[in-house]
Amino acid sequence: MSLNCNSDISIRDQWARQHATRGIKELWNKRLDRSPPGSIPRIGFPGYLKDGDSLPKLPRSDGKSTYQITDAKVAIVGAGAAGLFTGMILDYLNKDETLINAGFHVSYDIFETASKDRVGGRLFTYNFKAQDSRNPQGPHDYYDVGAMRFPENPVMKRLFDLFTSLGMEKKKLADDPPVGSLVPYYIQNIKNENENEAVREPWCYNNITRWGDYQKITAQDQYFDPFRLNTDKKIPQRHTNFIILVSIITRSPDDVVNDTIQPLRDALRNDLDESPPGTAGWKLLMKYDKYSTRQFLSLSPEDSNDDDSSDDDSSPPYNYETIEFLETFNGGTNWYDQAHSETVLESLDFEYYDQADENKWWCVLGGAQQLALRMENSLNNKPAYLSRVTAIRVLDKLVMEIDIERPACGWESGKEKKKYNGVFNATTLGCLKRIDTRTTNLSYSIQQAIRSLGYGPSAKVGIKFKRAWWIHDLDENHRIEKGGLGHSDLTIRTCVYPSYNINDSKDKPAVLLCSYTWQQDAERIGAMMSSSSDHSQQLKHEADLKEVLLRDLARLHTYHGTTEDQIYKLISDNYLDHYAHDWTHDPNTAGAFAFYRPQQFSNVWNKMIHPTGNLIVIGEAASPHHAWVVGALESAVHGVHHWLNMRKNDIKGAKEALKLLETPEDVNPFVGLPPYMEQATADWIIMGKKGSEK
């Protein structure tokens, strides 16, 4: 198996393709092992599939078209991005003239446990409400609790095609664009990018606050250690007469970790020079998948079987203090518990664009939930809210039944059973685990994925202030005038300065995403968050949280000539309201996003995309691009294609619909298989599913 770094397909998608193929081979070989002689046609069908071999083309075995399903209908569980997009795909197919002439039509129902104001699932924007003259409505009284920023690069193409199809155009913020427009999102606070002005952001570590960008802050310190993190000299750092010879702590922590990926980049390039293409890159990435990032960074070259051994202190193995330093500056506490392959692939994802152009980032004016609202508005059949699916069962090969619970109304119990020809589960795996699926014939591999696949904790807190004090009240050398981040090891960890309110006037209220946390940091700050659904009660319960937020913000924004108490008074005097959300304790998500741990991608994901019978698992966790909206969209296309492929002899026009789905079209988000799914792979997955139908 080889990976091509010059391919139009990202390394992550190539990696996923290979693992999808591995999963097919494992399932096919197991099927051969347990099948009685003669039960599988041998003419044209392969025997055991070996590692390293390409998937053979399947023989034409479409079978006889019986069209047993006359009024095809499916259930979609969850009105998040994947669920809404599944409905949009079916609407697109249903209105295609060629498919109409072929007799194709598949209707759908979407069931969502939450209320209508939470359409979009983790596309969730919180809107602060005006209370009285002391807390008036501001021009941008919101923040994104879930997805909030979107990089424009080839990996995200389907998402940006969806933006285009929904009329969400790219605009300049200064032109006063309408709600739902895409406006620039600024990763760093650089006032004048064309003038190459220095980054102006606060960094607070070890209770020491400095302003600027990390490398310049470090270079200006006489000890090259501005936060006094290395007083015991355990983090590699050697210099003579203040000339740095070897140093981890003076470099960008992100660059340090990216440099550890260089052996993979070199292997991928060397593979291209071989004929046939070499497999060193694939093998190295497989080794990375065995370890967490923390484990990998602690390994010597000999331990990791990397032949490029070196005595360079700037290369692994790193000691505990060095790994803690890198993790603290690069992510949440315990972020390096993820598979190292995930760390590597994330880095390579953002190298997958023209190096002459940086990734352009965008956010949605009015909040990312505007995307979900537009998706919902486009649907021919709107979701049913406050409708919890509690059970999914198989009645026969073509019919499934679901149990739905709604709030009781008068004499009605609120419970209902409905029959469908297929069910698309778009909920998180934690929520799917609570649904009774005992009779759906899910393989143990899929059940294991539902139970064990990692989900990452995440929490956010937004505060509404009387004005944007970070823009208007700090001195001219410390104003945050163009978005960016505040960095710290405080309880709040990362502070996100919005890019959408940078032009608001001084006399208008403004919202600050004052705390964005992951992993253990999210769990700890989440412990202070209220579970009450009444906002006034939330504020009472979160008095301690409020104090921590204000004090941490003051510590983060202190600068020369000010005291923490002065900044605290400025911030607390401007406080109006806040809203905190912990995704782990949200009963409708039970986690923020898929967070693959060692060996889970190579051993779990490729089984999860082999759904049993008519139950199809979709969502960001079922995509290689987990934690991104585009992953949810791709999983929906993948899922609809799988189901139609399995039912192509039962539904009129299904074969024509498959051809339409398989044919890419520019600026059309509904067609074209995801890059990680080849046609042959899709056909083989269907073979695996047919073997387990009831």
Side-chain angles (χ1 to χ4, degrees), residues 322-340:
T322 303
I323 296 172
E324 282 291 298
F325 160 71
L326 294 171
E327 181 188 69
T328 301
F329 280 79
N330 283 333
T333 304
N334 294 336
W335 186 259
Y336 283 175
D337 287 353
Q338 73 175 338
H340 190 54

Side-chain angles (χ1 to χ4, degrees), residues 389-393 403 432-440:
V389 173
T390 59
I392 304 170
R393 63 182 67 89
D403 292 351
L432 176 57
K433 179 67 175 173
R434 299 198 293 261
I435 298 175
D436 184 353
T437 58
R438 286 174 294 175
T439 66
T440 57

Side-chain angles (χ1 to χ4, degrees), residues 466-680:
K466 295 176 184 177
R467 62 180 179 272
W469 53 265
W470 57 96
I471 298 176
H472 303 294
D473 292 281
L474 305 182
D475 74 18
E476 62 180 359
N477 294 318
H478 298 90
R479 292 172 187 161
I480 310 292
E481 298 177 305
K482 206 170 184 180
L485 304 173
H487 316 260
S488 80
D489 59 2
L490 303 168
T491 299
I492 62 172
R493 290 308 307 266
T494 301
C495 178
V496 182
Y497 307 100
S499 299
Y500 51 80
N501 62 13
I502 58 178
N503 296 331
D504 293 355
S505 63
K506 185 175 182 178
D507 61 346
K508 298 293 184 181
V511 175
L512 175 66
L513 176 45
C514 66
S515 176
Y516 184 14
T517 55
W518 307 276
Q519 302 307 107
Q520 182 169 285
D521 302 315
E523 294 171 343
R524 289 187 173 182
I525 198 171
M528 293 188 285
M529 296 180 185
S530 172
S531 60
S532 174
S533 59
D534 181 273
H535 187 59
S536 61
Q537 289 299 312
Q538 287 177 348
L539 296 180
K540 289 180 181 179
H541 298 164
E542 293 174 353
D544 290 342
L545 172 63
K546 173 187 171 184
E547 181 60 24
V548 169
L549 297 172
L550 297 179
R551 182 58 65 184
D552 278 5
L553 284 174
R555 192 171 301 171
L556 177 62
H557 291 90
T558 300
Y559 54 89
H560 182 71
T562 66
T563 66
E564 182 181 320
D565 287 343
Q566 288 173 328
I567 301 298
Y568 175 85
K569 186 176 189 309
L570 167 67
I571 295 172
S572 58
D573 286 350
N574 276 282
Y575 171 90
L576 291 174
D577 196 0
H578 77 263
Y579 176 76
H581 195 90
D582 175 10
W583 285 104
T584 298
H585 291 96
D586 184 327
N588 295 327
T589 61
F593 46 77
F595 185 82
Y596 282 32
R597 293 185 171 85
Q599 302 186 60
Q600 289 194 325
F601 196 100
S602 56
N603 291 283
V604 178
W605 174 80
N606 60 2
K607 308 299 191 305
M608 189 167 59
I609 61 171
H610 292 250
T612 304
N614 290 301
L615 175 58
I616 314 294
V617 179
I618 60 176
E620 52 89 20
S623 163
H625 300 286
H626 28 269
W628 293 97
V629 174
V630 74
L633 305 184
E634 290 184 340
S635 76
V637 176
H638 182 197
V640 171
H641 182 272
H642 276 4
W643 182 74
L644 286 175
N645 206 353
M646 187 172 56
R647 298 276 78 93
K648 61 189 173 187
N649 294 313
D650 303 314
I651 299 173
K652 283 187 176 181
K655 294 176 184 177
E656 291 81 355
L658 285 168
K659 291 179 181 178
L660 184 60
L661 280 175
E662 292 162 3
T663 306
E665 183 180 325
D666 194 36
V667 199
N668 184 343
F670 307 112
V671 297
L673 290 176
Y676 59 86
M677 187 55 57
E678 296 177 286
Q679 183 61 57

Side-chain angles (χ1 to χ4, degrees), residues 410-428:
W411 56 270
E412 295 182 354
S413 68
K415 296 183 178 181
E416 183 181 8
K417 296 181 185 295
K418 299 193 75 171
K419 295 179 181 179
Y420 296 92
N421 303 114
V423 178
F424 292 83
N425 180 79
T427 67
T428 63

Side-chain angles (χ1 to χ4, degrees), residues 676-687:
Y676 59 86
M677 187 55 57
E678 296 177 286
Q679 183 61 57
T681 308
D683 291 341
W684 269 97
I685 287 176
I686 301 307
M687 283 295 299

Side-chain angles (χ1 to χ4, degrees), residues 17-261:
R17 276 189 179 190
Q18 301 281 21
H19 283 297
T21 300
R22 284 181 61 248
I24 288 168
K25 291 176 179 178
E26 289 178 16
L27 291 175
W28 176 257
N29 291 341
K30 286 181 181 178
R31 184 178 172 189
L32 290 179
D33 285 339
R34 66 173 180 261
S35 299
S39 62
I40 297 177
R42 294 295 177 182
I43 299 177
F45 281 81
Y48 289 95
L49 301 174
K50 299 178 181 178
D51 286 342
D53 292 345
S54 298
L55 285 176
K57 186 176 180 179
L58 283 170
R60 273 292 178 193
S61 58
D62 288 346
K64 183 178 180 181
S65 296
T66 58
Y67 302 135
Q68 299 178 68
I69 303 175
T70 54
D71 296 304
K73 191 170 187 177
V74 298
I76 301 169
V77 184
L84 296 172
F85 195 58
T86 301
M88 293 178 72
I89 294 169
L90 293 174
D91 283 344
Y92 174 80
L93 297 176
N94 288 336
K95 69 182 181 182
D96 181 86
E97 187 173 344
T98 300
L99 298 188
I100 292 173
N101 293 335
F104 179 86
H105 188 270
V106 176
S107 58
Y108 61 87
D109 288 329
I110 303 176
F111 299 98
E112 171 56 50
T113 301
S115 55
K116 182 176 172 59
D117 65 330
R118 283 295 306 276
V119 62
R122 286 165 286 176
L123 284 170
F124 172 33
T125 303
Y126 182 79
N127 292 276
F128 288 92
K129 296 178 176 60
Q131 297 172 3
D132 50 38
S133 59
R134 292 172 297 178
N135 186 357
Q137 193 71 41
H140 301 104
D141 274 2
Y142 68 87
Y143 80 97
D144 281 318
V145 183
M148 65 179 182
R149 52 195 176 193
F150 308 99
E152 186 179 10
N153 60 35
V155 171
M156 304 294 166
K157 183 181 184 303
R158 195 182 300 269
L159 173 60
F160 278 83
D161 287 348
L162 178 60
F163 284 142
T164 300
S165 73
L166 294 172
M168 302 174 74
E169 299 178 355
K170 300 168 190 171
K171 299 286 186 180
K172 294 181 179 179
L173 188 62
D175 293 339
D176 194 24
V179 168
S181 300
L182 300 181
V183 296
Y185 178 91
Y186 300 106
I187 294 292
Q188 292 182 309
N189 176 47
I190 304 176
K191 185 175 181 180
N192 296 305
E193 293 183 21
N194 294 332
E195 299 176 10
N196 197 27
E197 186 171 310
V199 176
R200 186 190 298 168
E201 293 178 346
W203 300 71
C204 182
Y205 292 86
N206 195 24
N207 296 314
I208 298 172
T209 300
R210 296 288 183 266
W211 287 73
D213 70 52
Y214 179 83
Q215 286 176 280
K216 289 184 178 179
I217 291 171
T218 303
Q220 292 168 0
D221 184 75
Q222 62 175 326
Y223 302 109
F224 307 108
D225 184 14
F227 303 107
R228 303 300 177 260
L229 305 176
N230 200 27
T231 55
D232 57 7
K233 304 303 179 186
K234 290 187 177 181
I235 302 174
Q237 182 179 19
R238 298 202 305 266
H239 54 82
T240 302
N241 296 326
F242 298 102
I243 298 176
I244 301 171
L245 301 178
V246 176
S247 179
I248 294 290
I249 204 166
T250 57
R251 299 184 59 213
S252 161
D254 191 48
D255 288 345
V256 173
V257 176
N258 283 339
D259 281 354
T260 68
I261 302 169

